[in-house]
Amino acid sequence: EYMGILESETMDEVFLNFTKELEDNSKAHELVTESVRALETQLRVATAALQQIHHMGCDDATVIGATKSHMGAVREHLGALQAAIPAEKYFRHEGQFRNCMQKIVFIHVLLHWLETGALLSLAECEAAMGIVVPPGVERENVFHLTAENYLLGLCNVSNELARLAVTSVTSAKFARSMAISEFVRDLFSGFSLLNLKNDILRKRYDSIKYDLKK
């Protein structure tokens, strides 16, 4: 059988058959890289606006409004990234934009907490990001928010709230610091229900313990 393949197809033909696939993969990688770069730029702007929450002279409404004004552009860039990824090739490229997904989760969840004091679910976060998984389609085959990226984003929120708790006490906002303590404690309890075999998630979960001590 092996000899039959060689007789019907020369060595050069065997390798030339891979040319189009390799070229397509390279183009897709370049498009995703460009989209990620643009998304990262916009995320830096949105994150900088959200960081103003730590400044004593800024009120929540102003910070929330300023941050939200940048999230429309973030959503547009995320849509462009989604369009750049070939069908059923999500996990081939996911490593390129994993950090971006976690940062977007961080921003949306923190904004939601500042407004409501409640946790934004994964499904609600996807909706805020403009991600729609068609019914009847396997999530793994299309662009989506993975549980890992959502959970890692929550860890980032915990870390940020621990920092905000300190600035809240400094600003004599004691009710806020107590609300943060309760929320982070609930997050910790939620994570403790998971059987974390992922090394990164386990380490980040441990960081919530230190947040609680703060």
Side-chain angles (χ1 to χ4, degrees), residues 146-190:
T146 66
E148 179 180 320
N149 285 333
Y150 172 73
L151 292 171
L152 287 170
L154 293 188
C155 292
N156 293 335
V157 172
S158 174
N159 301 156
E160 193 70 17
L161 285 176
R163 179 186 169 205
L164 183 59
V166 175
T167 57
S168 295
V169 171
T170 303
S171 305
K173 296 179 179 179
F174 303 113
R176 163 167 281 180
S177 65
M178 293 300 296
I180 290 173
S181 177
E182 182 178 349
F183 182 75
V184 173
R185 187 178 296 108
D186 288 343
L187 271 184
F188 180 78
S189 297

Side-chain angles (χ1 to χ4, degrees), residues 39 71-83 101 104-105 108 120-134 139 142-145:
L39 178 58
M71 293 310 289
V74 168
R75 183 166 170 160
E76 289 179 8
H77 286 301
L78 188 62
L81 171 61
Q82 182 174 350
M101 299 295 278
I104 297 174
V105 169
H108 279 302
L120 191 71
S121 70
L122 187 151
E124 291 171 330
C125 202
E126 273 193 333
M129 295 166 75
I131 298 174
V132 178
V133 178
R139 288 177 61 82
V142 295
F143 195 93
H144 66 284
L145 174 59

Side-chain angles (χ1 to χ4, degrees), residues 4-145:
I5 292 175
L6 288 181
E7 289 173 0
S8 63
E9 199 170 20
T10 67
M11 184 69 75
D12 286 348
E13 289 172 336
V14 169
F15 282 91
L16 286 173
N17 286 336
F18 296 119
T19 301
K20 185 179 186 306
E21 180 180 355
L22 292 173
E23 288 179 349
D24 289 345
N25 289 342
S26 178
K27 290 178 181 178
H29 182 83
E30 290 175 3
L31 284 174
V32 171
T33 298
E34 291 174 3
S35 298
V36 169
R37 191 176 294 116
L39 178 58
E40 287 175 336
T41 298
Q42 193 59 47
L43 277 172
R44 282 193 291 271
V45 176
T47 302
L50 186 54
Q51 289 296 313
Q52 297 300 309
I53 198 68
H54 296 288
H55 291 193
M56 295 180 63
C58 293
D59 62 278
D60 288 1
T62 300
V63 174
I64 291 170
T67 306
K68 283 187 172 182
S69 70
H70 299 296
M71 293 310 289
V74 168
R75 183 166 170 160
E76 289 179 8
H77 286 301
L78 188 62
L81 171 61
Q82 182 174 350
I85 299 174
E88 300 187 0
K89 297 288 181 67
Y90 178 82
F91 283 107
R92 172 174 290 184
H93 299 279
E94 194 259 348
Q96 292 178 255
F97 55 86
R98 186 176 299 149
N99 289 337
C100 287
M101 299 295 278
Q102 294 166 21
K103 289 177 183 177
I104 297 174
V105 169
F106 161 76
I107 294 173
H108 279 302
V109 172
L110 186 52
L111 284 175
H112 187 74
W113 184 86
L114 289 170
E115 291 182 301
T116 69
L119 175 65
L120 191 71
S121 70
L122 187 151
E124 291 171 330
C125 202
E126 273 193 333
M129 295 166 75
I131 298 174
V132 178
V133 178
V137 176
E138 291 290 334
R139 288 177 61 82
E140 290 72 18
N141 293 333
V142 295
F143 195 93
H144 66 284
L145 174 59

